[in-house]
Amino acid sequence: MNQITPEIIIDGLLILVVFVSAIKAYRNGFFASIIELIGNIGSLIISWYVSSTYAQNIFNAFFRDSLITKSHNYLIQATENIDVDTAISSIIGKWPQEFVNAILSKTEENISIILTPTQEAAVKLVDIFIGPIVIACISVVVFIICFIMLRVICNILSKLLKIINNVPLLGLANKMAGFAVGVAIGSVNIILLSFLLSIIIIITGDNLSWLNSAIIAQSKILAITGMINPFLP
């Protein structure tokens, strides 16, 4: 008998999300559900665009200079046995190792030159290594804020259109069509949940035994959504 593993439980819950979304859409009706579907997709795309476009600007405006100063002070104090992993964790705290490894693999810079106690080295350390990690965190926060704001607006419109369900005959057809839309809504919800799970992994430093990058990688459903997940390295 196959053992029930965390990734199987996750896949089962995601399938349940589609079913529940379809039932909910049946009750709400087609017009209210189509607004919810458009709202989900639109909120997702707009939030993704805003977070990816402005995260760098936010980092430059509010974090870059202070991180360069902090990095410079760290390099001056720690003049021996310095490595990038230690420097990053000392300056910005613990971060999922896969993110650090992904960033390290994208640079051909000489590590020994970067980790010297100079202002130029501090700038390189921030721009090449620390910056992308902090920007990823900023993207997460901006994405969540934008998505919540847009969803609130769409939910208000969706509730207004539920009144159509009270119309004879049209109301029943509206509910049946709503069920079909609900399947699509459930699929979008799975994508959103995959983003949320990735965010949880980032926040917890990939240290949860029941939810980590290894479990996510083994999930059949999340393996598909991972191709469009902006929060994976």
Side-chain angles (χ1 to χ4, degrees):
M1 184 176 180
N2 294 332
Q3 182 181 1
I4 299 179
T5 58
E7 56 269 18
I8 292 178
I9 295 176
I10 290 175
D11 283 345
L13 291 175
L14 293 177
I15 293 174
L16 180 61
V17 166
V18 176
F19 178 76
V20 172
S21 298
I23 296 300
K24 178 185 175 183
Y26 172 81
R27 293 176 177 174
N28 292 341
F30 173 79
F31 292 101
S33 298
I34 201 69
I35 290 296
E36 182 176 351
L37 175 60
I38 294 173
N40 277 348
I41 297 176
S43 300
L44 179 63
I45 294 174
I46 294 173
S47 300
W48 190 345
Y49 171 78
V50 171
S51 63
S52 61
T53 302
Y54 295 102
Q56 178 73 56
N57 295 336
I58 294 173
F59 171 77
N60 291 339
F62 298 102
F63 299 98
R64 184 174 180 271
D65 290 343
S66 62
L67 283 173
I68 289 175
T69 300
K70 189 174 182 179
S71 299
H72 188 210
N73 293 336
Y74 170 80
L75 293 175
I76 292 174
Q77 296 173 5
T79 56
E80 296 181 0
N81 301 321
I82 306 176
D83 61 80
V84 172
D85 286 1
T86 302
I88 291 174
S89 61
S90 298
I91 295 169
I92 64 172
K94 186 174 178 57
W95 203 263
Q97 191 60 43
E98 63 176 294
F99 274 80
V100 177
N101 291 341
I103 292 169
L104 290 175
S105 66
K106 294 178 182 178
T107 178
E108 298 178 354
E109 292 285 342
N110 188 313
I111 305 301
S112 62
I113 294 177
I114 292 177
L115 299 181
T116 55
T118 64
Q119 183 72 17
E120 181 182 358
V123 171
K124 286 188 176 182
L125 179 60
V126 170
D127 288 345
I128 297 174
F129 299 103
I130 295 177
I133 297 175
V134 177
I135 290 171
C137 183
I138 294 173
S139 295
V140 169
V141 175
V142 174
F143 179 90
I144 293 174
I145 293 174
C146 289
F147 185 80
I148 291 175
M149 292 175 60
L150 292 169
R151 289 300 301 128
V152 168
I153 296 173
C154 292
N155 284 339
I156 294 174
L157 294 175
S158 178
K159 288 180 179 179
L160 292 175
L161 290 172
K162 288 182 182 179
I163 193 174
I164 298 177
N165 292 334
N166 298 326
V167 179
L169 297 180
L170 178 60
L172 178 60
N174 187 45
K175 288 183 177 181
M176 296 297 294
F179 182 87
V181 176
V183 175
I185 292 175
S187 301
V188 175
N189 286 339
I190 286 180
I191 296 175
L192 295 174
L193 285 173
S194 72
F195 290 4
L196 176 61
L197 294 177
S198 298
I199 291 171
I200 293 174
I201 291 175
I202 292 173
I203 294 174
T204 59
D206 206 14
N207 288 324
L208 296 179
S209 59
W210 54 274
L211 180 62
N212 52 56
S213 55
I215 291 175
I216 294 298
Q218 296 175 37
S219 167
K220 302 298 184 182
I221 296 177
L222 295 181
I224 299 175
T225 62
M227 295 185 292
I228 59 172
N229 193 332
F231 304 118
L232 292 178

